[in-house]
Amino acid sequence: MALIRGVRYAYQLIPGGEPCLFLHGFTGAGDVFVPVLERMEIYGCRPSAILPDLLGHGASDVPDDAARLSMDETVRDLDALLDEMGVSSCRVVGYSMGGRVALAFAAMYPHRVRALVLESASPGIEDADEREARRREDDRLADEIEARGLDWFIPVWERRPIFATHNALPEEEKARQRAIRRSGSARGYAQSLRGLGTGRQPSYWNVLHTLTMPVVLITGALDAKFTAIAERMEPCLPNAVHVTIDGAGHTPHLEQPDRFAAKLVDFFSGAECIG
């Protein structure tokens, strides 16, 4: 646990070679990437992994003011967290919500990001009216989560169409993901939506051209929406490649962890990656 700018962040630090910051998605926690790291080591790549629970998730704090969970505040926290660890720059991997945060972090602190992996991520909603509609939708869901609790929310979240491909997961993996979701709280997820939901995120489409670090965009071949977003992002980024992973939907790191780990190892190949 680290006190960062007045709030407590839970995190894991798994020692190895080149530092890499892993950012989970909504209802996740740092633990979600541990199986990927185990597979990366099998492939001969063991980064020094920083696995924080973002605010409102896992064992990290849930600020009373939702603005404290905003994108701007979150990336400032990550900057301070790296300072706390004595890490001047690192590779950054972000999934979904964590991918949005990773992209914002790279835009605000490009000198700290040696390479960027965006899994099933988006630069945000460009149209202001659509963004406002999504904000209202996020707020309504936040209110309902607080009113009805995790016992209602987790099954509802797991039944979202974007996670339909999870039906093929082994039962033990489904149980592990459910346990990670239950490590958070209804209040935490509600505050995360109010502060860091897609509806409150600024659009980063107009800054993609400024991100000159190596970028890989990873999507599941079965996730048509985010594959299309990545295909549009790729030519906007000066040094990017888009790869798809067969047999996966929105969560390649979960549905095809071996293939996902192999893509990371390919991208991070080099002497610095060997732990």
Side-chain angles (χ1 to χ4, degrees):
M1 191 75 72
L3 184 64
I4 302 295
R5 302 178 61 239
V7 294
R8 293 175 303 166
Y9 270 82
Y11 70 92
Q12 295 183 62
L13 178 60
I14 300 176
E18 177 77 13
C20 188
L21 175 65
F22 287 83
L23 302 174
H24 62 80
F26 181 62
T27 75
D31 281 348
V32 300
F33 288 108
V34 170
V36 171
L37 289 164
E38 293 169 349
R39 287 165 170 84
M40 289 178 71
E41 185 165 6
I42 291 171
Y43 293 135
C45 179
R46 188 180 67 184
S48 181
I50 306 163
L51 306 171
D53 297 348
L54 296 174
L55 291 181
H57 293 75
S60 290
D61 276 352
V62 182
D64 290 332
D65 182 1
R68 183 61 184 81
L69 294 85
S70 71
M71 185 65 79
D72 183 67
E73 295 288 345
T74 297
V75 297
R76 291 178 188 277
D77 287 347
L78 294 176
D79 178 58
L81 179 63
L82 292 183
D83 282 344
E84 176 81 10
M85 296 182 173
V87 174
S88 60
S89 65
C90 64
R91 292 154 171 163
V92 181
V93 178
Y95 156 69
S96 197
M97 179 188 78
R100 294 191 285 110
V101 174
L103 179 56
F105 183 72
M108 186 174 289
Y109 301 102
H111 62 285
R112 305 209 78 154
V113 181
R114 294 173 56 88
L116 182 63
V117 178
L118 302 177
E119 178 195 2
S120 305
S122 165
I125 301 171
E126 290 177 279
D127 183 81
D129 290 338
E130 291 181 16
R131 197 161 55 245
E132 174 60 20
R134 177 59 184 266
R135 184 196 64 76
R136 291 194 297 268
E137 180 184 330
D138 289 344
D139 286 351
R140 282 194 296 269
L141 178 57
D143 291 345
E144 194 162 19
I145 293 170
E146 276 203 290
R148 304 181 70 170
L150 289 187
D151 287 342
W152 169 82
F153 171 60
I154 289 176
V156 167
W157 185 252
E158 292 174 341
R159 288 195 297 268
R160 290 171 68 91
I162 201 169
F163 300 127
T165 51
H166 286 191
N167 292 332
L169 290 174
E171 288 302 319
E172 58 269 25
E173 186 56 47
K174 292 179 185 177
R176 193 178 87 87
Q177 293 304 309
R178 194 166 295 120
I180 289 173
R181 291 187 174 107
R182 286 195 170 276
S183 71
S185 66
R187 174 67 173 169
Y189 296 147
Q191 287 293 82
S192 179
L193 282 171
R194 293 177 183 126
L196 195 56
T198 304
R200 280 191 169 80
Q201 174 192 319
S203 171
Y204 291 97
W205 282 102
N206 63 350
V207 302
L208 294 180
H209 70 281
T210 69
L211 303 181
T212 58
M213 71 285 293
V215 180
V216 63
L217 309 169
I218 300 179
T219 58
L222 303 177
D223 183 359
K225 175 181 176 180
F226 281 86
T227 293
I229 290 172
E231 288 173 348
R232 185 181 166 206
M233 289 173 67
E234 183 181 10
C236 299
L237 291 155
N239 191 15
V241 61
H242 172 216
V243 298
T244 58
I245 295 182
D246 291 338
H250 190 61
T251 53
H253 70 275
L254 174 62
E255 298 167 65
Q256 296 292 339
D258 289 298
R259 294 177 182 174
F260 183 81
K263 295 295 184 184
L264 291 190
V265 172
D266 286 345
F267 185 55
F268 293 158
S269 62
E272 291 180 309
C273 189
I274 306 302

